[in-house]
Amino acid sequence: MKLENLTFRGGTHIEEFKELSSGSLPSPMPAPGKVILTMSQHIGAPAKPLVKKGDEVKMGQKIAEAGGFVSAPVHSSVSGTVLGIVNYRSATGQLVQAIEIENDGQDSLGYEEVDRSKDDLSIEEMLDYIKEAGIVGMGGAGFPTHVKLQPPKDTPVDTIIINGAECEPYLTCDDVTMRTKPEKIVAGLALMMKIAGAKKGFIAIEDNKPDAIAAVEKALEGKGENMALAVLKTKYPQGDEKRIITAVTGREVPMGGLPAAVGCIVDNVGTTCAIVDAVYYGKPLYERVVTVTGHALNEPKNLLVRFGTTIGEVLDYAGGLATEAGKIIFGGPMMGVAQASVDSVTDKRNNGILVLTKEEAEPQRIDPCIRCNRCVEVCPVFLEPLIIASASKMENWDIAQANDVTACIECGSCSYICPSHRPLTELIRFGKQEVMAMNRKKK
């Protein structure tokens, strides 16, 4: 079964630039001589180190345990010697603990390779394999997957959606994963449906990915009516989980609510493949496909990168710079995080490294608001960005809160569409942080 022409209200069309890397199928990048593995590669409590300076570790060995229920363990991406546990400035700017490991070049395995694909596994066993593998949302959010798959008992889940929208410009890692591993994605969907007790499963893909659609459609043949392909109209931010739920099921997640509130769980295609690797084959999460792209690069491509590799090392392997970099971003241009240094390291959440030219990164002149209302028309959350941004600029947190500033998903659509080039998203993000801090103090 296939659903077609699905979409949501709001959003906008953005120049994609996916052709830069879409022709590059994932190839493994050699591991660097040293990796730096942060303890905060996920939402929730940081992981707690299990090793110390001088310890010998193996590739895939658990080197840090989950720091709480909403947390995830960390595994070594190389075999070698622990150089120490250090304080490290993460890609998001936070000062976090990290484990430095010198690579011995042997890639000695620290986990047992198995094949449980024919076993009758219990839900508890599958959840434990997912948790112990350190799997988190690989679309950027980093929410621990074993937690997501265990919603509160009063919110039963009937639908699983695999998010293959990949609406962010430039990024193609999900596209190439769907084209090369469609059977694994279908297997992962079946596993998630079994764990959550869901009766329906969808693999949702934007219609600008015809090869991925064809590959997944073929992989779904003979799998029954409970699993289907959902083809989405290409529009940003279609990949936001609440927007994709609306497009596929017609359900509206309430403001402040989670997808489980409307009986849904959404997971990224990379996460889905990692679930299969962990449950069936015992492989923990220590590497991922990363899109390395941008007009400032010589050879944009998709690479299988070990966590803890620096941006500089990845860019060098991708052929280096064709011109001076104006800005380097982890992720895409809309919701990614600009980096201050090429020494920042990759982790579970980093789906892309984007290098903009100096001309592309040049700030545009900011003009007065002309009250054109275009920011309101594109907002997928039905907010009034011009009002919230103005309140944030004046530091009037009561007005910002009254206009639901905390509901903003920071997609950047309003800033992108604004003819006056006003920094609406930046102002709203500032206001959102201040209002949340204010509300925490009141508790």
Side-chain angles (χ1 to χ4, degrees):
M1 183 174 71
K2 181 167 71 172
L3 307 179
E4 297 184 272
N5 297 315
L6 305 177
T7 192
F8 63 100
R9 201 189 93 184
T12 186
H13 294 274
I14 297 176
E15 193 165 3
E16 298 173 354
F17 300 115
K18 292 180 182 287
E19 71 281 355
L20 293 175
S21 61
S22 62
S24 165
L25 298 183
S27 59
M29 175 184 167
K34 180 182 77 172
V35 294
I36 302 172
L37 298 162
T38 66
M39 300 296 97
S40 296
Q41 301 186 33
H42 51 268
I43 288 174
K48 297 178 179 179
L50 295 171
V51 296
K52 62 183 184 303
K53 183 177 181 179
D55 284 354
E56 298 294 320
V57 298
K58 295 183 178 181
M59 183 173 70
Q61 176 183 330
K62 185 164 75 170
I63 57 173
E65 63 183 351
F69 178 63
V70 182
S71 185
V74 175
H75 301 77
S76 180
S77 57
V78 297
S79 58
T81 306
V82 175
L83 297 175
I85 299 174
V86 300
N87 289 324
Y88 180 80
R89 188 70 63 182
S90 74
T92 58
Q94 297 174 303
L95 194 63
V96 298
Q97 273 194 320
I99 299 174
E100 287 188 306
I101 303 173
E102 183 177 40
N103 184 6
D104 63 12
Q106 299 302 307
D107 280 353
S108 303
L109 284 186
Y111 64 95
E112 182 182 359
E113 294 182 294
V114 297
D115 187 350
R116 296 187 284 252
S117 59
K118 305 299 181 184
D119 296 352
D120 184 18
L121 301 171
S122 69
I123 292 173
E124 291 73 21
E125 285 176 316
M126 291 188 285
L127 282 170
D128 189 58
Y129 293 140
I130 291 168
K131 177 182 178 181
E132 286 303 303
I135 299 174
V136 304
M138 293 165 66
F143 194 86
T145 302
H146 70 281
V147 179
K148 179 179 280 193
L149 291 173
Q150 299 179 78
K153 294 188 184 300
D154 60 348
T155 55
V157 168
D158 59 30
T159 302
I160 303 291
I161 301 173
I162 305 304
N163 188 346
E166 197 169 46
C167 61
E168 184 85 32
Y170 288 95
L171 302 185
T172 59
C173 56
D174 287 350
D175 182 13
V176 297
T177 298
M178 291 184 287
R179 282 151 49 193
T180 55
K181 298 180 179 179
E183 293 84 4
K184 182 177 282 190
I185 294 167
V186 172
L189 173 57
L191 280 174
M192 293 170 66
M193 290 172 64
K194 181 177 179 181
I195 292 170
K199 303 301 182 184
K200 292 288 294 184
F202 298 93
I203 300 174
I205 311 173
E206 283 193 326
D207 58 15
N208 62 349
K209 303 172 183 65
D211 293 340
I213 290 170
V216 169
E217 189 170 21
K218 183 176 180 181
L220 283 169
E221 289 178 359
K223 300 300 181 181
E225 291 295 311
N226 63 332
M227 289 195 284
L229 174 65
V231 180
L232 312 165
K233 291 183 180 179
T234 300
K235 185 168 64 170
Y236 181 84
Q238 184 69 84
D240 175 70
E241 65 177 6
K242 293 183 180 180
R243 268 21 79 189
I244 211 168
I245 287 171
T246 299
V248 174
T249 70
R251 303 172 189 174
E252 293 278 354
V253 180
M255 189 175 294
L258 296 174
V262 293
C264 295
I265 291 175
V266 182
D267 248 320
N268 168 267
V269 295
T271 310
T272 307
C273 289
I275 288 172
V276 174
D277 286 337
V279 172
Y280 285 158
Y281 306 112
K283 181 184 176 183
L285 184 59
Y286 58 81
E287 61 185 357
R288 67 161 298 157
V289 179
V290 178
T291 299
V292 189
T293 187
H295 292 100
L297 278 182
N298 276 313
E299 301 173 30
K301 60 183 63 177
N302 287 287
L303 296 172
L304 183 64
V305 179
R306 310 276 186 101
F307 301 145
T309 305
T310 68
I311 289 175
E313 289 165 327
V314 176
L315 295 183
D316 287 343
Y317 187 75
L321 299 178
T323 184
E324 185 178 356
K327 183 180 288 187
I328 298 176
I329 300 171
F330 260 144
M334 300 300 290
M335 298 188 74
V337 179
Q339 298 301 299
S341 168
V342 293
D343 294 329
S344 294
V345 295
T346 60
D347 68 24
K348 300 174 184 180
R349 299 164 294 183
N350 301 140
N351 53 3
I353 299 174
L354 170 61
V355 188
L356 302 177
T357 64
K358 291 195 72 174
E359 293 75 20
E360 290 172 325
E362 190 70 27
Q364 294 180 295
R365 189 183 76 177
I366 299 173
D367 293 323
C369 175
I370 60 173
R371 298 295 191 270
C372 66
N373 211 45
R374 294 180 72 184
C375 62
V376 178
E377 292 172 355
V378 301
C379 179
V381 194
F382 316 137
L383 303 178
E384 295 184 279
L386 72 166
I387 293 176
I388 301 173
S390 178
S392 297
K393 188 174 182 179
M394 294 185 297
E395 300 188 12
N396 190 325
W397 309 132
D398 290 335
I399 291 179
Q401 180 160 257
N403 284 274
D404 299 315
V405 63
T406 57
C408 174
I409 62 172
E410 302 178 29
C411 67
S413 295
C414 54
S415 292
Y416 177 83
I417 205 70
C418 179
S420 297
H421 312 299
R422 300 188 65 75
L424 300 172
T425 306
E426 290 83 352
L427 286 168
I428 294 171
R429 182 182 294 122
F430 169 57
K432 182 178 177 180
Q433 292 169 347
E434 291 296 319
V435 167
M436 291 171 68
M438 178 182 70
N439 290 339
R440 282 195 297 269
K441 289 179 181 178
K442 292 179 179 178
K443 291 183 179 179

